[in-house]
Amino acid sequence: MMKRVLPFLGVLLAGLALAQTNVGGPDTSGPTLTAGQFNLIYNFFSFAIAAMGASAIFFFLARSSVAPKYRIALLISGVVVTIAAYHYVRIFNSFEAAYALNAAGVYAPTTVPFNDAYRYVDWLLTVPLLLVEAVAVLALARHVANSLILRLAVAATLMIVLGYPGEIATDTGTRFLWGTLSTIPFLYILYILWVELARATERQSAEVKVLVRNLRLLLLASWGVYPIAYILPMLGIVGSSAVVGVQVGYTIADVLAKPLFGLLIYAIAVAKTRDDGGLVNDVNSAGAPLPVNAAD
């Protein structure tokens, strides 16, 4: 297993190094934003911080309401939104420092560049973990789960790493090239989720099957926002409209793909705990099983 994991870790570390590189350097020639545009982005960032932070508290506390073998999925959900909350604080602060209100009543770029690479650092960590928790909550046979997790994590990392050069590109051709390359592992992820994961969940209860279906649909819907925001400059939408579209679009997608995704993971864990007969692996001091809603 370690022989297969080490190459993946190498890709991940290379991706992190790439994402943290401010390739373009400080850019003070960007578009100005009206007060309404600035406040819209500002408030969406604030909303994302609150959503990530509140859901982290919920996921960590909710672990006691599911059976022990499903708690790892909720732990990962909590870690995902905690990482996202941290990065949104950094994005929020960077955005606030990158613009200043001038005498004309508009927000103009300052000498401090807006570091949007925080998003890619976040996605490199959280997107593979999102897919890991989707597999972990099903408590599949170890060899099946390990195979799915490894392939999904590697594909997710490649998807993010390949998308970043296009994100920072200034010409349409480069953006299109890297966006196309990034789409290949994305399609592979969809294949695993819709074909292989479907086969792996054939013996699940009807309720769990419906929840897993909803989980996949939410993932497709939320991830579908990212390419839309990604191609806005390729469609000729530039300037302040592109800034608003990209930042608001990515933020909406992140909230759907992390807190809401985690709530579906929680629902699956609760359903599977109920199917298993409750928290049968926890015992009280007398040796009797604890009820489903008992605390640790």
Side-chain angles (χ1 to χ4, degrees):
M1 183 68 179
M2 286 302 299
K3 291 181 179 179
R4 290 183 294 171
V5 172
L6 288 176
F8 163 65
L9 291 177
V11 173
L12 176 59
L13 291 174
L16 285 170
L18 172 66
Q20 293 183 62
T21 302
N22 190 358
V23 177
D27 180 11
T28 59
S29 61
T32 60
L33 301 175
T34 66
Q37 290 172 327
F38 178 87
N39 288 330
L40 179 64
I41 297 173
Y42 187 94
N43 290 331
F44 263 89
F45 287 165
S46 179
F47 169 73
I49 294 170
M52 301 297 179
S55 57
I57 296 172
F58 173 79
F59 293 141
F60 288 134
L61 293 179
R63 293 176 64 241
S64 61
S65 64
V66 302
K69 63 181 176 180
Y70 307 119
R71 290 175 187 170
I72 183 64
L74 291 186
L75 177 62
I76 296 172
S77 293
V79 170
V80 164
V81 290
T82 299
I83 293 171
Y86 164 77
H87 282 114
Y88 264 96
V89 169
R90 300 302 299 268
I91 292 170
F92 181 92
N93 291 338
S94 179
F95 179 75
E96 189 174 32
Y99 288 89
L101 186 65
N102 62 22
V106 298
Y107 284 85
T110 66
T111 57
V112 179
F114 175 50
N115 186 2
D116 209 19
Y118 285 129
R119 288 195 182 279
Y120 276 79
V121 176
D122 177 78
W123 293 341
L124 274 167
L125 296 171
T126 59
V127 172
L129 287 175
L130 284 170
L131 298 171
V132 168
E133 68 183 88
V135 176
V137 75
L138 297 173
L140 302 172
R142 179 171 297 181
H143 71 281
V144 175
N146 287 345
S147 174
L148 290 172
I149 286 173
L150 180 63
R151 287 182 290 145
L152 285 169
V154 171
T157 302
L158 288 174
M159 178 178 67
I160 302 303
V161 170
L162 291 173
Y164 184 69
E167 184 70 55
I168 62 174
T170 56
D171 63 284
T172 300
T174 302
R175 194 176 187 89
F176 177 79
L177 171 64
W178 289 103
T180 301
L181 292 175
S182 178
T183 302
I184 296 173
F186 171 67
L187 294 176
Y188 180 66
I189 290 171
L190 294 183
Y191 165 77
I192 294 177
L193 292 179
W194 257 264
V195 179
E196 297 196 24
L197 190 63
R199 287 199 296 260
T201 56
E202 286 178 352
R203 296 185 179 182
Q204 302 291 332
S205 68
E207 181 183 8
V208 171
K209 286 182 179 178
V210 170
L211 289 170
V212 172
R213 180 204 65 190
N214 293 341
L215 190 75
R216 290 181 298 194
L217 291 175
L218 173 63
L219 197 66
L220 180 61
S222 59
W223 283 16
V225 178
Y226 296 114
I228 292 174
Y230 189 92
I231 66 174
L232 287 180
M234 299 167 59
L235 299 176
I237 302 174
V238 294
S240 60
S241 297
V243 172
V244 174
V246 167
Q247 297 307 324
V248 171
Y250 282 160
T251 303
I252 292 173
D254 278 342
V255 172
L256 292 175
K258 290 166 186 170
L260 190 55
F261 187 87
L263 288 175
L264 276 176
I265 293 292
Y266 170 71
I268 292 172
V270 170
K272 288 185 68 64
T273 297
R274 189 163 52 243
D275 292 341
D276 293 346
L279 302 183
V280 295
N281 293 323
D282 279 353
V283 295
N284 60 22
S285 58
L290 287 172
V292 172
N293 291 325
D296 285 333

